[in-house]
Amino acid sequence: MRMSIGARLFEGPGPFLMGIVNATPDSFSDGGRFLDPDAAVAEALRHAEEGADLVDVGGESTRPGAPPVPVEEELRRVVPVIERLRARGFLLPISVDTCKGEVARAALAAGADLVNDVTGLRDPELGRAVARAGVPVVLMHMRGTPADMAARAVYDDVAAEVAAELRAALARAAAAGVSAESTILDPGIGFAKTAEQGVELLARVGELRALGRPLLVGPSRKSFIGKLTGAPVGDRVPGTLAAVTACVLAGVELLRVHDVAACRQAALVAAALRDAGAARPGPR
Ligand code: HH2
């Protein structure tokens, strides 16, 4: 990939790590821990110390069944975090995890550099805000809303259908005036996918490279790991590392994770394996 995000140029295959900061009372794995802005700021600083390349600040849980958050409440959760990080000279690019145009605009004004939209620009106002600010955007695949997405997890060919629906998101971005060069695509692990479909998507994530855009994947602590292993949500780092490794080997550039230090170690080893394999192609 070659893309400027804030002051930083993201160049090459990565892997680049996006550290998660959930300023929410109800996120599936860390709800309530970082609702206080100072706690959220401390978590972002910890991610930076552990080697994150950027951080993603969100104020609305998207766990299955999560209720929508009113715009005023979401603004109250995320804007102070971004303002405080910038006020203390935080150097990493900041992403805002929102699907609302108004929240994106306020977050960008407060110092965010990228918009992470789990709905893939369904809100035209969000598309216009991104286009106007000229910032990059993550277009994630989802069907329906967190309240009803589980019922929409019906696919004949999950990888092909997710690719087609991501193409539609790229078309929405273009219609809003967002250039293709500023988009990053994400298959949306856990969003309108069963555990089995999520595993198949991870196994075939390399197929999405045909869309010609950098890829971001967020497998961190997700329920497919619990389904495969029985591990509770607080004990899914090892499963996350396996998924991160698979993603890096498949050519995914960006990983959205809670456990930056552990994931960085796995991602760097996986990247070395990826590069060593590419250096000596073919059977020996
Ligand atoms: N996953 C979550 C939230 N935002 N954004 C992208 N681009 N990709 C993802 O896979 C993704 C995402 C869900 O994880 P988390 O933020 O930890 O939980 P919650 O939505 O409950 O806050």
Side-chain angles (χ1 to χ4, degrees):
M1 69 183 288
R2 188 180 158 79
M3 183 183 284
S4 289
I5 307 178
R8 192 167 156 200
L9 178 64
F10 288 69
E11 193 168 27
F16 303 108
L17 295 178
M18 171 188 266
I20 300 169
V21 180
N22 282 324
T24 59
D26 57 347
S27 286
F28 79 93
S29 79
D30 54 8
R33 287 187 57 203
F34 310 112
L35 182 57
D36 171 56
D38 287 331
V41 166
E43 180 69 350
L45 296 175
R46 196 166 73 93
H47 288 330
E49 259 164 44
E50 292 186 358
D53 297 285
L54 70 169
V55 297
D56 187 38
V57 179
E60 178 174 46
S61 172
T62 49
R63 73 184 194 287
V69 174
V71 64
E72 300 73 27
E73 176 62 22
E74 198 178 328
L75 287 167
R76 219 173 6 251
R77 292 179 188 175
V78 300
V79 171
V81 179
I82 297 167
E83 281 174 350
R84 287 178 205 194
L85 282 169
R86 286 304 178 221
R88 57 181 298 149
F90 188 70
L91 287 175
L92 295 183
I94 300 174
S95 156
V96 59
D97 188 345
T98 188
C99 53
K100 298 187 185 77
E102 200 173 331
V103 175
R105 263 201 312 276
L108 292 168
D113 305 294
L114 174 145
V115 176
N116 173 24
D117 178 13
V118 298
T119 69
L121 286 191
R122 268 188 235 152
D123 174 6
E125 198 197 326
L126 180 52
R128 284 191 293 274
V130 167
R132 209 169 305 128
V135 294
V137 60
V138 177
L139 305 173
M140 198 198 77
H141 176 270
M142 164 160 69
R143 287 178 176 174
T145 66
D148 70 0
M149 64 186 175
R152 297 178 185 234
V154 182
Y155 303 86
D156 287 327
D157 180 334
V158 68
E161 287 170 57
V162 166
E165 289 167 35
L166 284 174
R167 254 192 216 100
L170 283 170
R172 284 194 295 276
V178 176
S179 74
E181 291 69 41
S182 54
T183 58
I184 295 168
L185 301 178
D186 182 337
I189 300 300
F191 291 84
K193 284 109 193 158
T194 63
E196 293 73 19
Q197 289 159 352
V199 170
E200 181 176 348
L201 252 185
L202 283 171
R204 296 174 60 192
V205 71
E207 293 177 30
L208 300 178
R209 295 174 70 191
L211 295 168
R213 298 305 310 146
L215 298 175
L216 182 149
V217 179
S220 191
R221 302 182 186 171
K222 283 196 175 154
S223 64
F224 77 93
I225 300 170
K227 186 93 186 285
L228 288 169
T229 65
V233 70
D235 190 21
R236 294 183 185 159
V237 176
T240 300
L241 300 182
V244 163
T245 301
C247 287
V248 173
L249 290 175
V252 170
E253 289 92 343
L254 296 135
L255 282 311
R256 180 181 181 277
V257 299
H258 301 88
D259 306 285
V260 170
C263 289
R264 182 166 179 274
Q265 190 175 116
L268 289 177
V269 172
L273 294 167
R274 174 197 67 197
D275 297 345
R280 307 190 68 168
R284 273 177 269 149

